[in-house]
């Protein structure tokens, strides 16, 4: 049986997972944000299998739904402004560039990416609709 990661991870990423062990690689050193915890709970309540803090291309995505081939990103309004003119700090502009890079990376791998913004929260039913559309 093929691993769920075989088709989406590069050979070097697969090697790293094998070397350090999947659990260590999947959990970066930071704690989950309140936004992540909120949506992880919703996913659990909907019985949707997900991998939190999924590594791909040297970046971490907030969640990966392997059964649907979907990546989820939960964007806090302070750290991820929608428009460049809303950026007050250098790291906000950097985060916008990283978000665009992550979007491109997901598309190149043939994966759907769903971004949920803090100021536009979704309900459990809306989340289900976004995933199964």
């Amino acid at each position: 049986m093929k691993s769920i990661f075989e088709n989406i991870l590069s050979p070097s990423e697969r090697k790293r997972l094998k070397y350090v062990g999947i659990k260590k690689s999947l959990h970066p050193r930071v704690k989950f944000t309140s936004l992540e915890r909120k949506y992880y709970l919703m996913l659990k309540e909907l019985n949707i299998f997900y991998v939190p803090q999924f590594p791909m291309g040297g970046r971490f995505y907030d969640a990966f739904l392997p059964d649907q081939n979907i990546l989820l990103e939960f964007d806090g309004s302070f750290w991820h402004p929608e428009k460049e003119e809303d950026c007050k700090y250098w790291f906000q502009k950097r985060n916008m560039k990283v978000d665009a890079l992550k979007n491109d990376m997901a598309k190149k791998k043939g994966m759907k990416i769903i971004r949920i913004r803090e100021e536009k929260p979704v309900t459990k039913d809306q989340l289900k609709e976004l995933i199964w559309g």
Side-chain angles (χ1 to χ4, degrees):
M1 181 175 175
K2 286 186 175 185
S3 164
I4 59 172
F5 304 108
E6 194 165 314
N7 294 329
I8 54 173
L9 296 177
S10 69
S12 63
E13 290 169 321
R14 283 196 303 269
K15 185 176 180 183
R16 182 177 188 281
L17 286 177
K18 188 176 179 183
Y19 178 74
V20 300
I22 194 163
K23 275 193 170 187
K24 184 175 180 183
S25 182
L26 289 176
H27 297 287
R29 291 179 184 89
V30 297
K31 294 181 180 179
F32 298 141
T33 65
S34 59
L35 204 54
E36 289 168 335
R37 286 192 307 269
K38 172 185 174 178
Y39 289 108
Y40 291 159
L41 181 61
M42 276 189 203
L43 291 167
K44 187 175 181 176
E45 289 172 355
L46 290 168
N47 290 320
I48 298 172
F49 175 70
Y50 67 96
V51 179
Q53 296 299 304
F54 181 72
M56 187 171 73
R59 302 286 177 188
F60 283 92
Y61 290 82
D62 293 330
F64 172 54
L65 315 179
D67 298 336
Q68 294 82 11
N69 199 34
I70 293 175
L71 292 162
L72 296 176
E73 283 285 282
F74 312 120
D75 295 337
S77 51
F78 177 76
W79 294 97
H80 302 271
E82 278 193 276
K83 297 175 255 161
E84 193 168 344
E85 53 267 16
D86 295 335
C87 296
K88 294 179 183 175
Y89 304 99
W90 63 270
F91 57 83
Q92 292 172 319
K93 289 181 182 181
R94 180 202 60 206
N95 289 348
M96 287 187 78
K97 290 177 184 176
V98 170
D99 290 346
L101 175 79
K102 288 168 86 172
N103 290 345
D104 290 342
M105 214 182 329
K107 288 177 186 170
K108 286 179 184 173
K109 298 263 188 183
M111 303 169 83
K112 180 179 177 182
I113 185 164
I114 297 172
R115 289 192 169 273
I116 298 173
R117 303 211 33 93
E118 181 179 26
E119 67 273 9
K120 298 175 188 171
V122 298
T123 64
K124 210 182 317 181
D125 290 333
Q126 291 170 326
L127 181 60
K128 194 162 71 171
E129 181 65 28
L130 284 170
I131 293 168
W132 284 302

